[in-house]
Amino acid sequence: MKKPLKITAAPLLFCLAFTAVSCIKKAPDAVIKPAEVQSEEHLETTEEIPEQTETLIDAKVLSPKSHLCLLGRDSKMHQILNVAYGDNLSIIHEKNELVKMESEGSVYSKAVYKEVEYWIDTDTIALQCETALVLERATLYADSQFMLATDEKNSPFRFGDFLCRSLSEEDESENFDKIYYYDKNSKKVKSAYIKKGLISTRTDDIVVMDCVKQLRITKRATPRNEIFKRAARFKPCQKVAAALDAEKTEKIENNYQDVLNALPGAKYKVNVPELLTVDQSKDPFQ
């Protein structure tokens, strides 16, 4: 009886397993949706970069002394730093115009000196220029055609004087040089024109001529020797070299009365100022 039961049970188990397998539904394949790609229009920033309206223009102090100022709460300029002749700084321009401010009768320009903003008197500076040396007698003219000569105390410039030559493209010419100088009478920096070839911008000429000016006011031997050593490192033009050689000869100027007093065997001393006051129209022997 047990054997037939085993035979009928086997097909039954097979049928049940087949039915279970057939009832399992196949899961659909997962669909991966592509990520949304941002268009180039979205990637671009909508903010507009503002135009740079501020520029810095090189400038040089031409007055013997000037001041860098800050604007106080009282709307007045307060002196902070001193600057001297030849010091370099930058002047701020906005939309190709100077940033100016008037205070107590003077016009100030906004400047940058050693990365700090200040205000400086516009009459003490010159823009876009370089130091130059006068090589010959140079008459100043108010126009580039040399029709109107200036009658100021500074004209004409003499050999050895310093001034500044304009570097602006508008002032480039084969006939003239536009120059800037400090007028002592008006105490302002002014511009003028001189004929081409009367000035030099060579570093050798400028440095050696500066040494010559120092030698003219230096009397002690040791400092003079140091100045000569400095000048020996440069090769100036013939005129400047001649001026340097002239300083190698000591010049002694004596008072006339001192010379008379130094004469050997002199018994009588002559007072020159008293001699000049004698009435020459009268005969002293009558």
Side-chain angles (χ1 to χ4, degrees):
M1 294 297 291
K2 294 180 180 180
K3 188 174 182 181
L5 288 174
K6 292 181 180 179
I7 296 174
T8 56
L12 181 59
L13 294 174
F14 178 79
C15 291
L16 291 174
F18 178 78
T19 303
V21 173
S22 61
C23 291
I24 298 174
K25 294 183 178 180
K26 184 178 181 181
D29 295 335
V31 179
I32 301 174
K33 295 183 179 181
E36 295 183 0
V37 180
Q38 294 181 351
S39 63
E40 294 181 358
E41 296 179 357
H42 291 287
L43 292 175
E44 295 179 357
T45 57
T46 57
E47 296 181 0
E48 294 183 1
I49 300 175
E51 290 185 24
Q52 185 177 3
T53 59
E54 184 178 283
T55 56
L56 297 178
I57 305 297
D58 293 336
K60 190 182 293 290
V61 178
L62 295 189
S63 64
K65 187 177 181 181
S66 187
H67 308 282
L68 297 174
C69 307
L70 291 179
L71 184 64
R73 294 183 178 181
D74 55 358
S75 300
K76 295 182 180 180
M77 292 295 177
H78 297 269
Q79 299 176 3
I80 304 300
L81 293 176
N82 295 330
V83 286
Y85 178 88
D87 287 343
N88 297 312
L89 44 81
S90 299
I91 302 299
I92 298 177
H93 281 61
E94 289 185 358
K95 297 181 180 179
N96 297 326
E97 292 184 359
L98 283 172
V99 181
K100 297 181 179 180
M101 178 176 292
E102 187 173 352
S103 176
E104 299 180 286
S106 298
V107 178
Y108 293 83
S109 297
K110 185 177 286 189
V112 176
Y113 182 73
K114 294 184 179 180
E115 309 301 328
V116 181
E117 288 188 4
Y118 299 95
W119 293 92
I120 188 170
D121 192 340
T122 308
D123 290 332
T124 64
I125 60 174
L127 304 180
Q128 292 181 299
C129 62
E130 63 178 347
T131 303
L133 171 68
V134 178
L135 296 178
E136 295 182 17
R137 181 184 175 91
T139 301
L140 302 182
Y141 293 89
D143 62 315
S144 58
Q145 288 77 33
F146 311 122
M147 300 295 292
L148 181 61
T150 62
D151 56 356
E152 297 178 355
K153 184 178 180 180
N154 302 279
S155 181
F157 273 95
R158 301 168 300 175
F159 167 71
D161 290 339
F162 290 107
L163 45 78
C164 284
R165 186 181 77 91
S166 174
L167 294 176
S168 176
E169 295 181 359
E170 300 176 354
D171 300 326
E172 292 293 334
S173 172
E174 296 180 354
N175 301 320
F176 66 84
D177 281 312
K178 183 177 181 181
I179 57 96
Y180 297 99
Y181 64 97
Y182 182 75
D183 180 39
K184 295 180 180 179
N185 292 335
S186 62
K187 297 182 180 180
K188 294 181 180 180
V189 173
K190 294 185 176 181
S191 63
Y193 297 89
I194 62 174
K195 294 181 180 179
K196 200 76 172 180
L198 300 181
I199 60 175
S200 171
T201 57
R202 294 180 64 244
T203 301
D204 292 34
D205 294 338
I206 294 172
V207 173
V208 174
M209 195 64 211
D210 182 62
C211 292
V212 171
K213 290 182 177 293
Q214 293 181 38
L215 288 168
R216 290 173 180 173
I217 60 175
T218 304
K219 303 301 180 182
R220 299 181 61 183
T222 300
R224 286 177 63 87
N225 291 337
E226 294 297 326
I227 297 174
F228 277 118
K229 287 180 181 179
R230 181 190 176 200
R233 297 196 296 265
F234 300 90
K235 296 181 179 180
C237 66
Q238 185 176 358
K239 290 185 177 181
V240 178
L244 179 65
D245 290 338
E247 294 302 319
K248 296 179 181 179
T249 303
E250 185 179 3
K251 299 176 182 179
I252 301 176
E253 296 181 359
N254 294 309
N255 182 276
Y256 181 70
Q257 183 64 56
D258 295 337
V259 174
L260 292 177
N261 295 339
L263 291 175
K267 297 181 180 180
Y268 302 97
K269 308 298 181 183
V270 180
N271 192 324
V272 176
E274 291 182 2
L275 180 63
L276 296 177
T277 61
V278 175
D279 189 354
Q280 303 293 330
S281 63
K282 297 179 181 180
D283 187 353
F285 299 101
Q286 289 181 357

